[in-house]
Amino acid sequence: MASQMLQKARAYEKERGAQIRPRERPGFHLTGETGWINDPNGFSFYKGAYHLFYQSNPYDTHWGAIHWGHAKSADLVRWEYVGAALAPDMPYDGAGCFSGSALELPDGRHLIMYTGVQDVRREDGSLRGLQTQCVAFGDGVDYEKFQGNPVLAAGDLPEGASPWDFRDPKLWREPDGTYRMVAANDRGDGRGQVLLFESPDTVHWKYLSVLAQSRGELGQMWECPDYFRLGGKRVLTLSVMGMEPRGLEFHPGHNTAVLIAGEGEAFSAEGARSLDYGLDFYAPQTMETPDGRRILVAWMQNWAASGFAPPEARYFGQLTLPRELECREGRLLQKPVRELERYRARPVVYANVPLGEETGLEGIRGVMLDLTVRLRWEEGCGSIRIALRKGGVHETTLTLSPGQGILRLDRSRSGCLLDVVHTRDIPVDTGKGTLELRLILDRFSLELFCDGGKQCASALLTTPEQEDGISFYAQGPAWADVEKYDLDVR
Ligand code: FRU
């Protein structure tokens, strides 16, 4: 039975969501039905559909009163709302149903595992959220919280581990039918660690080991861990708080990171790389499709800039396009999910176009696009620039400096007037004299996949829809192959 709080949230989402015109939303990036969203949660395949839940505050465009919103899709591109799945309606999760994961059980039920947060008055009088792990069972629409919640609490933690930062369970089933789960934790000294747990049945859990730990070389608290095997390697992804900058790999503050290790090898935080070099990307989570692909989706936003929803906004926050992962030559590669190609329309193709002062190409423009640009240059080329969402006033640019091996993403003139970070330098391999950029543009975002997905960059854009021009520029000898498709997602 849905609690009153959950029924109220569902009714509110439906009523307010219906007031938002489709053109006010992205074409194919998932937003909340209404209100605020952050992390993707419970990304899973269940009863013939992909299910994607998300941290949601239906009542406001700011973080708070965290519920689980819920959408489903047949193809990972077009989503339909199902109605909130969890409300913070129990004593153990009254301060929020934080991030977690989901999977289909052998008996046909859909299992959700999430972090319940309960505000506790501490000895010094301060209030702090005590974090425990909880489960709920459902049918793809309604979820019943387990009577025995929480299933993991402070007493289950190893010596020194903090019960105040113990969250974001990501679970999976092993081939022998037992379950494993990784959760984020603070070692007790402000640094992050990932703990591994096991269970025979999803409700009785036991601590197994520390899967990875920061010795200060990779930020402070680690959030939203994900762990899977891919291409013969073990892969751990993390959302890292309080990072010190490291070259072009990591910027200050919240980052995401991927660590790759062989069987039997320990994860080393030193070899960590960024999952996305853009401006808006955090809290990624993955799932495995029935045909064996590992797919990642993330919150397309960042905490530092997330407090600035425009006063008139009725929803705030969106998720990235789901991405297919591949692990090759010690790197994690990401590509737009192949299902997107079904929505390609009106191709326009150019080969070997010489680039100069300002080169515009007939038919190469638009707002919802799948655009591939293969750049080629020769000795003496100082820079190549692509301007997107270009109109009289605005533009977002990608500038390649072949000599430096840097691709600069700059959205300072994209229409966002906030005094926040608008540029990032992306380290790219320019040694071959060519570089392939695949750009996925939606009404309010750009996702860049560089060099077959070795580097990705996501950025929100607030450019008016009529500003849809694209131009190319080069200083020195350079050429481009361009392949453009409109994306007709309705
Ligand atoms: C990451 C995060 C998670 C937490 C959730 C709360 O963005 O801080 O660690 O579960 O957001 O909404």
Side-chain angles (χ1 to χ4, degrees):
M1 251 291 281
S3 68
Q4 268 196 356
M5 193 190 267
L6 186 61
Q7 286 178 35
K8 187 172 149 231
R10 286 177 170 179
Y12 188 85
E13 285 178 321
K14 228 188 167 93
E15 188 206 319
R16 297 289 291 233
Q19 294 168 10
I20 303 174
R21 286 174 295 130
R23 284 186 94 85
E24 292 176 54
R25 296 189 192 269
F28 51 94
H29 284 83
L30 183 64
T31 68
E33 195 164 5
T34 186
W36 158 277
I37 72 169
N38 56 294
D39 314 356
N41 295 155
F43 192 23
S44 53
F45 190 80
Y46 178 69
K47 284 192 184 161
Y50 294 99
H51 288 256
L52 187 47
F53 303 80
Y54 42 83
Q55 294 282 282
S56 149
N57 178 1
Y59 303 110
D60 200 346
T61 49
H62 292 91
W63 187 90
I66 289 295
H67 292 58
W68 272 39
H70 186 188
K72 67 177 187 173
S73 170
D75 65 4
L76 295 161
V77 178
R78 293 174 51 177
W79 296 94
E80 76 183 85
Y81 295 110
V82 180
L86 301 176
D89 51 13
M90 299 301 279
Y92 54 77
D93 64 17
C97 298
F98 278 19
S99 285
S101 50
L103 54 73
E104 177 166 358
L105 293 171
D107 65 9
R109 290 177 302 167
H110 201 199
L111 168 82
I112 281 175
M113 188 165 196
Y114 70 100
T115 300
V117 185
Q118 176 178 16
D119 276 339
V120 173
R121 177 95 40 212
R122 299 204 298 175
E123 269 171 20
D124 63 3
S126 65
L127 263 189
R128 183 122 193 234
L130 185 67
Q131 306 188 339
T132 59
Q133 313 318 315
C134 305
V135 293
F137 300 92
D139 60 2
V141 178
D142 294 307
Y143 293 82
E144 188 96 23
K145 290 179 185 169
F146 178 54
Q147 296 271 336
N149 276 342
V151 295
L152 270 169
D156 302 301
L157 286 170
E159 179 90 35
S162 161
W164 310 102
D165 283 300
F166 173 36
R167 59 181 176 270
D168 310 337
K170 175 73 201 305
L171 87 165
W172 68 95
R173 190 169 38 244
E174 287 284 318
D176 68 1
T178 62
Y179 297 86
R180 300 281 185 285
M181 181 274 279
V182 284
N185 184 233
D186 175 321
R187 310 184 335 168
D189 62 1
R191 292 172 181 172
Q193 62 183 358
V194 176
L195 303 179
L196 180 64
F197 298 84
E198 73 171 340
S199 168
D201 56 9
T202 75
V203 296
H204 299 92
W205 287 94
K206 197 175 93 197
Y207 164 72
L208 271 186
S209 61
V210 173
L211 186 69
Q213 202 171 44
S214 169
R215 292 185 309 277
E217 69 285 56
L218 200 68
Q220 298 166 355
M221 175 66 186
W222 293 351
E223 304 185 293
C224 301
D226 199 339
Y227 175 61
F228 50 90
R229 288 187 161 76
L230 194 66
K233 298 284 182 194
R234 297 156 63 234
V235 180
L236 178 65
T237 63
L238 302 167
S239 294
V240 178
M241 295 171 72
M243 186 75 190
E244 290 287 345
R246 190 194 291 174
L248 295 183
E249 204 59 49
F250 296 109
H251 53 266
H254 287 81
N255 281 255
T256 56
V258 54
L259 279 61
I260 298 175
E263 286 304 330
E265 244 172 57
F267 283 109
S268 150
E270 257 111 39
R273 284 186 196 266
S274 256
L275 270 169
D276 190 289
Y277 296 86
L279 295 155
D280 297 293
F281 185 93
Y282 197 65
Q285 182 173 101
T286 73
M287 59 93 63
E288 196 179 348
T289 59
D291 62 4
R293 290 174 293 156
R294 178 62 60 174
I295 310 286
L296 174 146
V297 67
W299 180 34
M300 192 157 54
Q301 178 74 271
N302 73 67
W303 277 114
S306 70
F308 303 108
E312 71 284 3
R314 287 183 289 185
Y315 74 87
F316 190 63
Q318 50 182 304
L319 304 184
T320 64
L321 180 69
R323 302 173 177 182
E324 288 184 25
L325 303 184
E326 210 188 315
C327 193
R328 228 190 314 135
E329 292 156 21
R331 291 195 82 115
L332 193 70
L333 309 181
Q334 304 174 56
K335 284 200 200 94
V337 76
R338 69 189 65 166
E339 283 84 344
L340 187 70
E341 291 164 28
R342 296 183 195 159
Y343 296 94
R344 284 174 164 182
R346 296 176 290 283
V348 180
V349 178
Y350 288 89
N352 247 340
V353 181
L355 305 180
E357 286 256 301
E358 174 171 358
T359 315
L361 297 171
E362 181 70 33
I364 305 292
R365 63 186 315 118
V367 168
M368 285 165 57
L369 297 183
D370 183 347
L371 175 71
T372 299
V373 182
R374 270 172 230 98
L375 298 173
R376 187 164 63 77
W377 59 90
E378 283 178 0
E379 191 71 35
C381 175
S383 69
I384 307 174
R385 185 152 57 94
I386 308 173
L388 307 155
R389 299 301 304 272
K390 188 172 153 60
V393 182
H394 301 111
E395 64 175 14
T396 291
T397 59
L398 291 165
T399 306
L400 179 70
S401 304
Q404 292 169 26
I406 293 177
L407 180 68
R408 168 166 288 194
L409 163 67
D410 185 349
R411 60 131 200 238
S412 11
R413 291 168 51 76
S414 69
C416 173
L417 300 182
L418 291 173
D419 185 14
V420 298
V421 176
H422 293 298
T423 61
R424 288 255 197 261
D425 284 347
I426 307 164
V428 292
D429 177 9
T430 48
K432 302 185 296 287
T434 65
L435 188 68
E436 184 186 282
L437 307 176
R438 182 155 171 213
L439 304 163
I440 305 296
L441 284 160
D442 197 349
R443 280 197 188 97
F444 307 112
S445 64
L446 159 67
E447 280 176 272
L448 164 68
F449 300 84
C450 206
D451 213 2
K454 283 194 191 134
Q455 295 87 11
C456 300
S458 309
L460 293 173
L461 305 178
T462 43
T463 315
E465 191 151 357
Q466 64 276 15
E467 298 192 68
D468 67 350
I470 298 177
S471 295
F472 302 84
Y473 311 75
Q475 286 179 337
W479 297 262
D481 298 336
V482 182
E483 188 179 324
K484 182 228 75 168
Y485 301 89
D486 293 334
L487 289 169
D488 280 357
V489 187
R490 274 183 245 279

